[in-house]
Amino acid sequence: MTSTATKPRGARARAAIAAKTLRTDRWWFAPLITVVGLSAWVAYATVRVFMHKWYWVDQYHYLTPFYSPCVTDRCVEGSSHFGTLLPGWWIIPDAALTLPFLLLFRLTCYYYRKAYYRSFWLSPPACAVPDGHKSYSGETRFPLLGQNLHRYFFYAAAIISLINTWDAVLAFHSPEGFGFGLGNIVLLVNVVMLWAYTISCHSCRHIIGGRLKHFSAHPVRYRAWTFVSKLNTRHMQLAWITLGTLAFTDFYVMAIAAGWFTDLRFIN
Ligand code: FES
């Protein structure tokens, strides 16, 4: 792709067709549903992050992923597994050390880039549909140049997935000791899906299998790369599924913490 020209060098001018596009199918549906889905999720997450309540169920040690790890001095007793380093001002999210990295990890994700370039920026909205902008500079200038930092946000996301895993382990708790309820299943499913999304990352695939000249000399990395490659083909689905599991897990913990309903317990 060219960096500054409006069209690739040597490319021919668009055919002189009066219509904006000759496509007659519902090409606009995918961008539209993406705008609706992402906007709804961001609105829900923003409200929840700044709500500063109903994120911890002390009885069962359920902690919503939106508040993990809870690091402000406003965090309710028992919810801080890694200390309270930050002041409890309302503008500071209780998980201020992790949320910015998670946001940047998703924002720079290869799939989400495609999704919001097409839907929010109309650049272009679909194949064979004109770009919504006159010029095209790719990702060669600030701020889009920062998309190249994705591989580093991957490392941060992997650490945060470890923290979420630890939260899910600590949640096997009840006032009597060990406990197991529907909330544990919700937390576990969310963590498994988060790992699947994180591992299916294109950067992860490159870290594991990239720069190798001969797979035969690296059988373990080849197996890992093969596994990640299979997951990678589902990266888009995992991107959406994890938005769903994150929101559902948060809502479930909120509902239990607020007393809207009680957790279904299997053991203790
Ligand atoms: S490409 Fe989507 S998380 Fe890395």
Side-chain angles (χ1 to χ4, degrees):
M1 286 182 203
T2 183
S3 60
T4 54
T6 55
K7 62 178 182 255
R9 194 184 311 167
R12 294 185 184 168
R14 185 171 180 262
I17 303 169
K20 277 203 164 176
T21 179
L22 295 180
R23 285 185 66 167
T24 55
D25 61 331
R26 293 192 305 159
W27 58 264
W28 45 266
F29 184 72
L32 177 67
I33 202 79
T34 304
V35 167
V36 172
L38 289 182
S39 301
W41 195 89
V42 168
Y44 174 83
T46 304
V47 169
R48 278 296 290 143
V49 162
F50 292 103
M51 192 179 272
H52 300 305
K53 64 177 180 180
W54 297 336
Y55 53 85
W56 169 251
V57 180
D58 193 47
Q59 198 176 11
Y60 306 130
H61 289 190
Y62 294 160
L63 179 65
T64 162
F66 288 180
Y67 285 73
S68 174
C70 205
V71 291
T72 69
D73 58 20
R74 179 188 43 228
C75 296
V76 296
E77 196 178 338
S79 65
S80 304
H81 304 144
F82 296 90
T84 52
L85 313 164
L86 300 177
W89 302 336
W90 77 267
I91 194 68
I92 299 180
D94 289 309
L97 294 185
T98 48
L99 288 185
F101 291 103
L102 285 179
L103 178 67
L104 289 167
F105 180 53
R106 299 251 170 183
L107 212 56
T108 58
C109 162
Y110 287 44
Y111 164 67
Y112 285 115
R113 273 144 78 172
K114 172 190 151 188
Y116 63 73
Y117 286 169
R118 288 193 171 190
S119 56
F120 286 88
W121 292 358
L122 308 177
S123 184
C127 294
V129 177
D131 198 299
H133 305 80
K134 285 205 174 80
S135 62
Y136 174 78
S137 59
E139 294 172 334
T140 58
R141 295 185 199 156
F142 181 82
L144 295 187
L145 192 59
Q147 304 281 33
N148 292 302
L149 296 173
H150 181 66
R151 73 197 72 175
Y152 303 108
F153 298 135
F154 162 76
Y155 291 120
I159 293 171
I160 295 166
S161 291
L162 279 174
I163 293 171
N164 291 149
T165 307
W166 182 237
D167 292 338
V169 170
L170 290 181
F172 286 99
H173 177 273
S174 81
E176 284 81 44
F178 176 82
F180 176 51
L182 184 57
N184 295 100
I185 296 175
V186 172
L187 287 167
L188 278 177
V189 168
N190 179 54
V191 158
V192 169
M193 298 319 293
L194 284 181
W195 273 115
Y197 169 70
T198 307
I199 289 173
S200 71
C201 167
H202 294 63
S203 292
C204 174
R205 184 168 176 262
H206 180 72
I207 289 163
I208 288 178
R211 293 175 182 269
L212 293 181
K213 283 207 170 111
H214 306 289
F215 271 135
S216 57
H218 304 274
V220 175
R221 286 183 67 179
Y222 175 66
R223 282 191 174 200
W225 178 83
T226 306
F227 176 71
V228 168
S229 296
K230 279 186 190 151
L231 272 182
N232 181 258
T233 63
R234 299 270 178 265
H235 193 59
M236 179 183 80
Q237 289 89 336
L238 290 166
W240 282 102
I241 289 170
T242 46
L243 290 186
T245 59
L246 278 167
F248 183 76
T249 305
D250 175 75
F251 183 81
Y252 189 88
V253 172
M254 174 170 64
I256 303 291
W260 297 341
F261 53 80
T262 55
D263 190 31
L264 176 62
R265 305 299 293 175
F266 308 120
I267 302 174
N268 289 330

